[in-house]
Structures are given as C-alpha cells and as structure tokens.
Amino acid sequence: MAKSGLAARLYRGEADLNIVGKRKLWFGVAGALVLIAVLSFAFNGFKLGIEFAGGNSFQVPASVGTLDRAETVVDDALAKEAPGVEVVTAQKVGGAGGETYEMRTGQLSQEQANAAKTAMAQEFGIQADQISGSQVSEAWGSQVTSRAFLGLLIFLAVVSIYLVLRFEWRMAVAAIVSLLTNLVLTSGIYSLVGFEVTPSTIIGFLTILGFALYDVVVVFDKVQENTRGITANNNLTYGEASNLALNQSLMRSLNTSVVALLPVGGLLFIGAGLLGAGTLKDLGLVLFVGMAVAFLTSILLATPLLVLLKNQDPRISAHNKRVLSRRAAVARGEVTPKGAPRPAPTGDQPVDPDAALAGVAPKVGARPTGKRPSGARGGRPGGGGGNRPGGAKRR
Amino acid sequence: MRPGRQLAVLGFIFVVLYLLVFFSGGASGGWKDRLEPRLGLDLIGGTRMTLEATNTVDGKPPTAENLEEARQIIESRVNAYGVAEAEVVTEGNRNIVISLPGQNRDLTDVGEAAELRFRKVLKAADGSGAAAAPAPSPSVSAAPPGSVKPSGSASPKPSGSASPKASASAKVTASPSAGGQGGMAPAPSASATPTPSASPSAAAPSPSASAEPVPQSIEQQRQAVQQKVGAAAWAAASGLQAPADLTADPSLADKLKPFGTLSPQEIAVLTPEMQFNVPTITCAQLDKRPAGSIKDPKQKAVACEAGAKNLLDVAKVEGTDVKNASAQLDQTSSWVVSLNFTGGGQEKWTALTRESFNNEGQACDQTALGQDGKCRVAVVLDNKIVSSPEIQGVLTGDSQITGSFDNKSANALASQLRYGALPVTFEPQESQNVTATLGDSHLKAGLLAAGIGMLLVIIYSFFYYRLLGSVIFLSLVLSALLVFGALVVLGRSIGFTLTLAGIAGMIVSLGVAADSFVIYFERLKDEIREGRSPRSAVPRAWIRARRTIISANAITLMSAVVLYIVSVGAVKGFAFALGLATVLDLVVVFLFRHPIMTMFARTRAFLSPRVSGLGRALPARSAESGTARNPRVKEA
C-alpha cells in the first residue's frame, strides 16, 4: 500500500512529504555540493571545446577524393601523431582558386601539425606542401562569453526586482539563491565529470535560467496563496503552510519536469546514440542535467530557504510561537481543538518530531483562503478511508 | 471575450502569418521554396571571406591583441546584419576569416576601412569632374531635421547637382553639449556621376610647386605619371593654385583631360594639391585609391564626401588617440556618437578643435567652412570622409558627433571609429563558398529528435490527462506551425537563421510550452477536487493559472530580452529564438487553449474520469474503480 498510496497522494497533492521540516538536511547537502563544485572549479577546471580554445586547420585539395575519405585520413593521421586530437568540423571550400577541404582540429603543437601534415600527404599520395595548415582562433570569442555573463548578471538584477514586486523580497532572495545554486551545481557536474563545454552548452545553460525560476515561481505562487492572512488564525505555522503548498504543487512540479525532460531526453538519445557527439548531445546533456537539478533545487532548496528567511520576520515568528503554544495546550488537553479529533499519525509516516508536524500541517485550514466552506470537508469524512486510514486526517 | 472570438483572432493571426510566408517581400520560387526557413552556417554552409591584416606602422603582422580586437569589431559588425549567426575567427597571425550563412553573399563592406584620421577641412571643391566651379546651391542647405537655425545663407556650399544626404550632416559638440546650439547645414554634396566637360583654353603654365618632400619611390612613380599625362598637362596641373574653373578657361580642361584617365593607383601618387586642384580627377577615382593611400598623418590629403572633394590638413589627431566611441541617445532622444580620447589624444583633440573653432590663420577656405563659419573637421576612414562635422566649441572633454543619425548609422559610425582606432589595415581576399559543417545527417537527426520528443510528450499527456491530452496535442501542433511560419518570415525580413542549436532550442521550448498546460490542468484538478462542477471550475482555474503562467513566462521573456540586448553572436540568436517561442506560447495559451477548454467544459464527457482524467481528482467517487488503477498510471 505504501507505494501506490504515495502515488495516489501525490496525485491529489496530499503526499505529506515533510520537506520544509528537514530543511537543515537540504541546506547541509546543498552546501556540501556547492563546496565540492567550487573546489572542482578551482582544481579541475573545465574541458573547453575547440570553439573556445582555438585549434588548427588543414586545407587539403579536393582532388584527393570525397570529403568523408579526407576526414577519415586526417583523423587517422592525427591519431598517429597527436593522440586525443580529432577533426571537429570538415567543410568543402570552393572558390576561383579551386576547391579544397578544410578540416578544423583540436590544438596541435607546431611539430605535431607538421608531422600530421606529412602523414596525411603520404596517405593521400600528394606533396606535403599541397596541404596547408594554420592555427585558428576560437570562433566563440571571450567577448561572447563575457557578454553572456554580463547578461546573466543584468537578468538576475531585473528578475530580482520583478520578484520583489510580484512577491516580496524574501521570496526573491530564496528564488535567486536557489537559481544560483542550480547554476553552480550544474557547472559543478560539468567540471567534475569532465563533459566538454561547447557553445551549445553555454546556450543550454542559459535556457536553464528561465526554467529553474519558472519552477520556483510556480511553487511560490502556491505558497503565497496558502499563507495569505496566515497570522489571522492559529492553525498553521508558516513552515507548515509552505510545506503544504509544496506538497500540493509537487505533482505539478513533477509533471512539468517530466514533460520538459521528455523532449530533452529525445535530443540526448538521438544526439549521443545516433550521432555520437555534437550540438544535439551537448545541448541535450546540459539541459537534462540542469533541469533535473532545477527540479530538485526548486523543491528542496527554494521553499525551505524561504521559510528560514520568513521565520526571521518578527510577525511570522510570533505567529509561529502562538501556533505552537496553542498546539501544546491542545495536546495537554487545556483547550479543545476546533476541528474534529485527529487520528494519530499512521505507520507510513516517518516517526520524528518534524514528521509529526507535517502530519499536523495539512489537517486544518488546508486552504487559508477560506473560500471553501468547512462543510465540504465534513461532507465526506470517510473519503478515501476505505483503504487508506491516513487519508482521513486530511479531509 | 467569447471563446469563438478568441479562436477567430488566432485564425486571423494564422492567415496573416502564412500570407506573409507565401507572399511577403523576398518570397519567390515555387511553394516549396517559399516554405523554406533560412538555415544556419552549420546546416547549409555559406560564404567565407578572408581579410589579410597589415600593421600600418611597420608593415609587419599586427600584434595578437590588435588582431583579436579587430576580430571582435568585425564580428559585431557582421552580426549587425541581423541575427544570423556568423563565424569570425583569426587564422594564423594575420588573417581574419569571416563566414556567413547563405551562398554567394556579398561581404565586401564587412572588412572595409581601417585607418582613422581627424583632419581639418581646408578647402572644398566639386568632385564630380563637372565643369561648374563650386557655387552656392540652395538645395543642399536644407537643414537636417531638428536643426535649430535656418541655413542657406552666406556660406557657399560647393555642389553640382545636389542631392543632400542626411547622414552627411553632422556637428561636434562637447558632451554634454557645450557650444552646439546652431543647426548644421548638410555637408557639401554633389551628384557623383563624373561628366568631364572639355572646352579648350590656354593657361599659363607655371613651375611645379610640390610642397612636401616625398620619398624617392613615390617621386619615381610620379614621374611615370607625368610621362603618361604628358608634360603640358602636368605643367598645367602643377601650376594650379586653386581648383581650376574650367568654364572660365575652356582650354585648360583639354589640357587636364588626361588626368581623368588615370588609374586610382596613379592618382594616389600625385600631390594632394594636384589631386584637389585638378577638376578632371573625380571622386570616383579618389574613392578607389588603394587602402592606406592617405594614411600618412604628416601629409595633407584629399578625400571625398558625398561627391565633394575636400582638401584636408595634416592629421593632428589619429585613430589611435581615440579610446572609445559609442552610439548613444542624447537627452532629446536623437542618436549621437560619443567620442572618448586617450590622455595624449585629448590634448591633441583640444588643440585641433581650438584652431578649428577660431579658424586660426584663416587656414580654412570660405568653401570649407561650416554653416556657423567655423572650420569643419573631417573624420577620415581609409580614403573616405565618414563625417565632417563643424566644430562648435573648444572641446576639452568627451565629445559628441550629432547629426541626423538613426540607431543604425550611429552604431555604424561608432563601430568604424573604434575599428579605425586600430593600427591595422585589411586587404580583403576573394570570397569563397563553404559547405555545411554538420549537414544533412545532423539536420535529419535533429528533426528526428524533435519528432521523438514531441511523441513522448504527447503520449505522456494522453496517459495522464486522457482526452485532455488532445488539447495539448493540438496546441503543440499549433505552436509548431506558428513557430515555423515565424521562422520563415523572420528569416527573410531580419535574416534570422536557424542553426542546429536553434532547432534543439525550439524542441525544448515546445516541451516547456506543454508545461503551461500542466499548470492549468493541475489547477483545474484542484478546483474539481474542491467540489466545483467542471463548468465553473474552468473559468476559476483559468484565472488562477493565468497569473502563474504569465509570471513564469514573464521571467523567461525577461531573460530573453536581457540576453538579446546585452550579448553578442550566437547567444543573441539564441535569446531571440527563446523570446519568440515564449511569445508564441502565450499566444497559443490565450487564444487557443482557454477558449477550447471553455467549450470543452460544456460537454458532458468532460466529467467522466475515463475521458478527461479530471474526474479522478474526486477521491470519493472514484474510490471503487479509480484507486486501483490510477496509481500505476501516474508512476509511468
């Protein structure tokens, strides 16, 4: 039952996962991962593609045969003279001066380039001086990267203002911090695993920006709705209300991520499976990693962080105290709770104090908006109770 | 708005878009050709041109930093053509290789220009080769828009048949505006068609008066030219102290006629005075002089602007004195080019503006003065005058060139100024066609990936949302059609090209578009779970989901806009695609999904759990049949 129960509850937004309560764990994990990522930047660095690092190019007369053959030969020559370097792009260049094939390769030293040229000439059966070679700069200049990062900074500034206006500054801070964590962790994975960074990677990386915030905004939207006027009653602490919102939008987040990851998975599958390497794989990979991380940070980091910040607010912390003391009073039997008596947490709940809180959370005033008449809740007291006793504590 | 009307708006957008696809400017060929989006360099190849750079100081290859700087400027210039993703790389130690998508493109003006000089305009004359001497011409003195002072007064504007060019009018003021109140009359302009008139006359030959010492080799070349034109013509030309008035002295024109047949290279070796004074040397010839002909800052020079010949003083300020130049909007929201000088450059510039403003020693001829009676200073790039603003004051700080610029021309001038600040000249080599780096197989694989991705999304949505999946399916098809149409139209109108990365981006964006459905449907589920009938749940869920969708899309749009404005190169192209996809997503959400759902909610089938997938949100009702099956569905 536990398994199907979880899925069913997920579907109804009643999963009761205590995410906010365990925030110390998430912060610890996130902090450790960020630390690892930063250390990896420092010691591992990134493996940059030819577009950033520059490389060599060879011009071979088109008389040697087809482009494919020329590419194979050049690749073989390179494998012999400079292991690890291969042809990145092969093009036919035509003009009044006759047609040539141009191969761009990774970086070679002068000796390697000369040796490779000789080897190629031998294989093609032409004179070595018919092949010309030169060094090529990066196509993706440092300017492109620096401007992209400038754009990133400006975007962060603009979006912070937007979030402050749309929500409030604490939400803006939590959202931006979780976005930054997301970016750092994604880059960290690239640095650690040693995936090659290409222009497509950078572009995919920038796509994650919007996506990660998108996720967070949707969750915060729900949190905001759930916590509007929360101080007016004594049923829920801010953390509990946020946790409830998180649970209610969990299925949505999951769905969103699945729907967005499916096409990306298709890209990755085709890119890596059929073509081996190239733009599609690079883009698919960075999006896959980034979106997966975005899903996790939006759930596990953004909202707990928001609660942490919110609890610093005197109004909220006073409210939380009031709720807790009232709850303690109820437990001691001094005050009669307003709602129906609540069954004890059932077996499928982890037994720890935070989990107990989470169990409480959804119970009362699940929607503080107050639009729903309480009768609706009472109307089906045994709803879902047939096979899942835990469900009764919700509605 | 009623659902029908929203769908009608969507239909209208569709019709307009596809009318544009098939019939807008640039659409040609068969149906299939008209449906082709513009593909990027990696997919269909393009045109390549190599620029060979030479350091103008010592003739050696330029330094690596200079070459890289030039590469960046060329890159931004190439990208100013549109959002086509061009590739600009340096090759070896003196080549810059430019590749643009599309075969047989004209790239000649990309690598153009190099040496920047600021020279005071000493004299001006007609450069059309026409017989008429410089004469006041009311038609040129029409003030540019926004100019304050009426013009067309005393200062004679040399001009033949005039066609004033808006971009030619300019003035320099201190920023933020120290002495620039008056409007500036447009710079001299004349029809460029050379029509050398020949009416014989006799002129008194006088001994040669070549003022500056010249290197031996040039002296030899000059002698060769002298032989070519003949002694009589040479003597006549050497004797001229001012632009010859051929109508007054018809026999002179005959004598000077051989100069009209000289090649641009031969013209270049003549003394500046001769180039200026001989009316049969036309601007058409002067403009074609080899690059670097008038680069020597210690020599006077002749250059043309809008068909008028200008005799220019020695260059007192050079390109390397310019630290930065940028196009800006001033307080009156007109475009200006702001100039910023290096420390030493600033001193020279202040001195130059002082002597120009005061017209010290009456160095500037009447013909060369600006409208306010001040000297003009020509911004000379290579062999041409880019702009010759009148100096409006002694400028001790940053300066602005104002005039009737628009965004594009101001940016172009700023880019030329920055570019000209480099001590490098470029000799364009012949352009070549290159094939695609990725080609067909990658394009097909990309489309296949798109197909698989979309199929997965659609299967998932049918599984999860049952019949509502069909709404998602239809919206995705609509989105795809809109995106495709927009790509075709934008490819033609602003040169937007689709690279493989772009295709992948579009695939991803369609997946993200499907996401706004999830938000909506989950909301709908919430509402139904709370006991609302589908009919009332749909509008309520819509209102709430709309807020979320708009704020989420606003963020994506923000990132697209910021990146588009700030970034360069491929990132700019990407940002454009992202913004486009987001806007189209909003269009589909508002004009298709909402009305369709409203119509859907009126049907009875909508309620059935089997059909819509929403009924399952009602736990009590579905307890018997639903719970056993549904969990597995969701785990899928």
Side-chain angles (χ1 to χ4, degrees):
Chain A
M1 144 182 166
K3 204 172 163 214
S4 64
L6 180 67
R9 282 178 296 131
L10 258 182
Y11 184 80
R12 284 195 290 272
E14 299 165 9
D16 292 350
L17 298 175
N18 184 15
I19 290 164
V20 171
K22 291 184 190 152
R23 55 180 177 265
K24 280 189 186 125
L25 174 66
W26 312 130
F27 294 156
V29 171
L33 290 177
V34 166
L35 189 69
I36 293 174
V38 170
L39 286 177
S40 175
F41 298 158
F43 294 108
N44 256 6
F46 291 97
K47 188 181 165 202
L48 295 178
I50 180 187
E51 293 88 345
F52 298 102
N56 284 54
S57 87
F58 293 98
Q59 268 95 27
V60 181
S63 55
V64 299
T66 65
L67 184 59
D68 280 342
R69 167 161 185 262
E71 189 176 349
T72 321
V73 170
V74 174
D75 252 339
D76 290 346
L78 286 174
K80 231 184 318 175
E81 305 298 338
V85 180
E86 50 186 30
V87 174
V88 182
T89 63
Q91 277 175 294
K92 189 175 183 181
V93 180
E99 292 191 327
T100 55
Y101 295 134
E102 188 194 77
M103 318 275 167
R104 292 221 176 134
T105 70
Q107 239 162 356
L108 297 170
S109 70
Q110 193 61 47
E111 296 83 56
Q112 283 176 322
N114 285 337
K117 218 153 73 170
T118 318
M120 279 176 230
Q122 234 162 30
E123 187 61 35
F124 285 130
I126 55 176
Q127 294 294 313
D129 57 11
Q130 283 181 269
I131 300 175
S132 60
S134 56
Q135 297 215 318
V136 193
S137 77
E138 70 276 12
W140 178 287
S142 53
Q143 195 197 11
V144 183
T145 315
S146 62
R147 293 300 281 272
F149 277 97
L150 178 66
L152 175 62
L153 289 182
I154 294 177
F155 168 68
L156 286 178
V158 172
V159 95
S160 306
I161 295 169
Y162 175 79
L163 289 173
V164 168
L165 294 179
R166 170 76 170 71
F167 296 108
E168 52 167 318
W169 71 265
R170 289 186 178 85
M171 286 191 172
V173 170
I176 298 291
V177 168
S178 96
L179 173 67
L180 288 178
T181 315
N182 180 9
L183 296 181
V184 169
L185 291 186
T186 308
S187 334
I189 290 175
Y190 261 76
S191 168
L192 267 182
V193 182
F195 291 136
E196 196 179 49
V197 178
T198 64
S200 310
T201 313
I202 301 266
I203 285 177
F205 193 73
L206 294 172
T207 315
I208 306 172
L209 278 186
F211 185 82
L213 274 179
Y214 188 97
D215 249 9
V216 174
V217 163
V218 173
V219 175
F220 279 9
D221 208 42
K222 190 78 184 168
V223 170
Q224 195 187 34
E225 186 185 315
N226 277 13
T227 58
R228 196 172 293 137
I230 187 173
T231 48
N233 62 42
N234 290 338
N235 295 327
L236 284 173
T237 66
Y238 190 88
E240 288 159 359
S242 309
N243 197 45
L244 176 61
L246 207 53
N247 275 297
Q248 285 169 341
S249 53
L250 199 57
M251 197 58 212
R252 202 241 22 125
S253 289
L254 207 60
N255 257 334
T256 302
S257 301
V258 169
V259 162
L261 281 175
L262 282 175
V264 174
L267 273 184
L268 195 56
F269 174 70
I270 294 288
L274 281 186
L275 295 171
T279 311
L280 290 181
K281 191 211 86 184
D282 295 338
L283 205 67
L285 186 66
V286 71
L287 287 172
F288 203 87
V289 172
M291 285 181 171
V293 175
F295 170 66
L296 291 176
T297 50
S298 72
I299 299 288
L300 298 181
L301 200 62
T303 313
L305 201 59
L306 171 68
V307 173
L308 184 76
L309 289 170
K310 266 299 209 186
N311 284 347
Q312 309 299 315
D313 184 351
R315 260 181 49 234
I316 296 293
S317 73
H319 164 76
N320 285 348
K321 241 178 245 157
R322 211 162 55 233
V323 171
L324 290 178
S325 66
R326 184 188 143 82
R327 199 170 288 155
V330 171
R332 287 196 301 275
E334 287 164 13
V335 185
T336 322
K338 272 185 218 152
R342 161 177 60 95
T346 46
D348 59 307
Q349 292 292 321
V351 188
D352 66 66
D354 278 336
L357 284 186
V360 172
K363 185 205 162 201
V364 254
R367 289 222 168 54
T369 45
K371 280 170 200 149
R372 187 170 48 158
S374 59
R377 219 174 306 150
R380 36 185 169 87
N387 63 349
R388 194 169 56 83
K393 71 186 157 67
R394 184 79 196 286
R395 300 261 138 97
Chain B
M1 218 193 256
R2 291 212 326 275
R5 220 172 284 168
Q6 286 165 338
L7 289 176
V9 171
L10 183 69
F12 178 73
I13 291 178
F14 246 93
V15 169
V16 169
L17 182 65
Y18 275 85
L19 279 178
L20 282 175
V21 165
F22 285 114
F23 302 109
S24 72
S28 59
W31 294 111
K32 219 178 146 222
D33 294 338
R34 293 179 187 216
L35 271 175
E36 225 154 67
R38 238 191 229 176
L39 296 179
L41 199 54
D42 54 345
L43 294 174
I44 57 156
T47 311
R48 163 176 301 182
M49 190 173 70
T50 305
L51 298 175
E52 197 184 325
T54 312
N55 191 322
T56 49
V57 180
D58 50 13
K60 289 191 189 129
T63 62
E65 295 87 63
N66 280 338
L67 196 61
E68 169 60 19
E69 212 175 321
R71 191 194 69 76
Q72 287 182 6
I73 293 168
I74 290 178
E75 182 167 47
S76 58
R77 197 186 274 192
V78 171
N79 285 322
Y81 276 159
V83 272
E85 293 180 18
E87 185 198 77
V88 182
V89 298
T90 66
E91 192 185 69
N93 58 1
R94 65 194 315 163
N95 287 345
I96 291 183
V97 181
I98 305 164
S99 311
L100 266 186
Q103 310 277 323
N104 300 320
R105 298 267 298 257
D106 181 22
L107 291 178
T108 41
D109 48 340
V110 171
E112 216 173 58
E115 296 270 323
L116 176 67
R117 302 278 182 263
F118 291 87
R119 295 168 181 269
K120 203 162 66 170
V121 181
L122 298 177
K123 294 176 184 174
D126 176 31
S128 67
S137 145
S139 61
V140 241
S141 53
S147 141
V148 188
K149 231 194 238 170
S151 60
S153 47
S155 61
K157 296 290 173 301
S159 163
S161 66
S163 56
K165 232 181 169 181
S167 64
S169 77
K171 64 184 177 191
V172 167
T173 56
S175 60
S177 129
Q181 289 309 311
M184 228 296 279
S189 147
S191 92
T193 44
T195 48
S197 77
S199 40
S201 158
S206 58
S208 157
S210 149
E212 287 89 10
V214 276
Q216 191 54 40
S217 60
I218 293 200
E219 196 57 61
Q220 283 166 359
Q221 290 176 36
R222 247 175 224 173
Q223 277 164 11
V225 175
Q226 192 174 347
Q227 278 169 13
K228 184 171 175 184
V229 296
W234 185 265
S238 305
L240 293 173
Q241 295 301 321
D245 185 353
L246 299 181
T247 43
D249 193 357
S251 68
L252 185 58
D254 209 24
K255 259 188 200 156
L256 294 178
K257 206 175 170 186
F259 282 98
T261 61
L262 292 181
S263 71
Q265 286 76 11
E266 288 162 339
I267 298 279
V269 302
L270 299 175
T271 61
E273 284 78 8
M274 207 183 276
Q275 292 179 28
F276 181 71
N277 290 338
V278 175
T280 44
I281 295 175
T282 63
C283 273
Q285 287 166 299
L286 289 171
D287 283 347
K288 289 206 185 87
R289 286 172 298 183
S293 298
I294 57 169
K295 70 180 185 196
D296 187 351
K298 295 185 185 64
Q299 298 258 358
K300 289 185 182 176
V302 176
C304 287
E305 182 184 23
K309 279 204 280 195
N310 291 280
L311 180 65
L312 306 171
D313 199 8
V314 298
K316 301 209 166 124
V317 180
E318 293 175 46
T320 42
D321 294 324
V322 174
K323 198 155 125 207
N324 201 4
S326 56
Q328 291 172 346
L329 273 175
D330 70 356
Q331 294 94 327
T332 59
S333 349
S334 46
W335 284 96
V336 298
V337 176
S338 173
L339 280 177
N340 182 334
F341 292 91
T342 59
Q346 183 64 53
E347 281 169 32
K348 292 191 218 167
W349 176 246
T350 306
L352 177 63
T353 53
R354 182 178 299 118
E355 66 169 78
S356 303
F357 184 66
N358 299 328
N359 196 1
E360 282 169 13
Q362 300 299 309
C364 305
D365 193 70
Q366 271 297 311
T367 54
L369 291 182
Q371 184 193 329
D372 293 344
K374 314 294 179 202
C375 289
R376 291 183 291 138
V377 168
V379 181
V380 186
L381 225 92
D382 236 3
N383 292 331
K384 288 185 196 126
I385 297 178
V386 179
S387 168
S388 59
E390 181 176 4
I391 300 302
Q392 303 273 341
V394 180
L395 305 171
T396 52
D398 287 359
S399 302
Q400 283 181 335
I401 303 177
T402 59
S404 32
F405 291 113
D406 57 12
N407 181 358
K408 215 170 162 186
S409 62
N411 271 308
L413 178 56
S415 138
Q416 280 175 319
L417 290 173
R418 284 197 303 270
Y419 190 54
L422 294 174
V424 176
T425 45
F426 290 99
E427 191 60 43
Q429 313 287 309
E430 167 200 24
S431 58
Q432 299 171 308
N433 285 332
V434 291
T435 58
T437 47
L438 297 176
D440 246 12
S441 63
H442 282 72
L443 181 58
K444 282 197 186 113
L447 295 178
L448 183 63
I452 291 181
M454 294 330 294
L455 198 66
L456 287 175
V457 169
I458 286 163
I459 289 175
Y460 182 81
S461 25
F462 271 112
F463 214 41
Y464 193 83
Y465 292 115
R466 308 286 169 92
L467 200 64
L468 287 185
S470 59
V471 179
I472 299 185
F473 172 70
L474 281 176
S475 321
L476 288 183
V477 170
L478 272 178
S479 285
L481 286 175
L482 280 175
V483 166
F484 183 78
L487 282 180
V488 175
V489 170
L490 291 174
R492 279 205 293 265
S493 56
I494 64 164
F496 180 74
T497 60
L498 193 61
T499 59
L500 191 59
I503 292 182
M506 288 292 175
I507 297 170
V508 173
S509 75
L510 287 182
V512 174
D515 173 71
S516 45
F517 291 81
V518 176
I519 295 178
Y520 186 30
F521 289 163
E522 292 294 312
R523 272 292 187 189
L524 205 53
K525 228 168 64 182
D526 279 354
E527 297 293 335
I528 290 179
R529 189 163 55 214
E530 284 176 15
R532 265 171 230 294
S533 76
R535 249 187 120 146
S536 66
V538 164
R540 280 186 61 85
W542 166 244
I543 288 166
R544 288 158 150 219
R546 189 173 58 187
R547 201 174 120 89
T548 312
I549 292 170
I550 288 178
S551 31
N553 272 325
I555 286 177
T556 314
L557 212 53
M558 259 182 250
S559 74
V561 169
V562 168
L563 284 174
Y564 182 77
I565 294 173
V566 175
S567 62
V568 292
V571 176
K572 209 183 185 79
F574 154 76
F576 187 86
L578 184 67
L580 178 70
T582 310
V583 169
L584 291 180
D585 176 38
L586 282 175
V587 166
V588 170
V589 163
F590 276 82
L591 295 183
F592 176 72
R593 189 183 54 198
H594 174 54
I596 277 288
M597 286 302 287
T598 312
M599 286 155 98
F600 236 55
R602 292 178 188 157
T603 65
R604 190 184 282 180
F606 190 71
L607 238 195
S608 148
R610 281 169 198 284
V611 173
S612 70
L614 284 178
R616 283 178 296 154
L618 302 167
R621 267 176 259 168
S622 62
E624 329 76 50
S625 64
T627 44
R629 256 187 26 221
N630 293 338
R632 226 160 290 132
V633 170
K634 272 151 298 172
E635 276 161 63

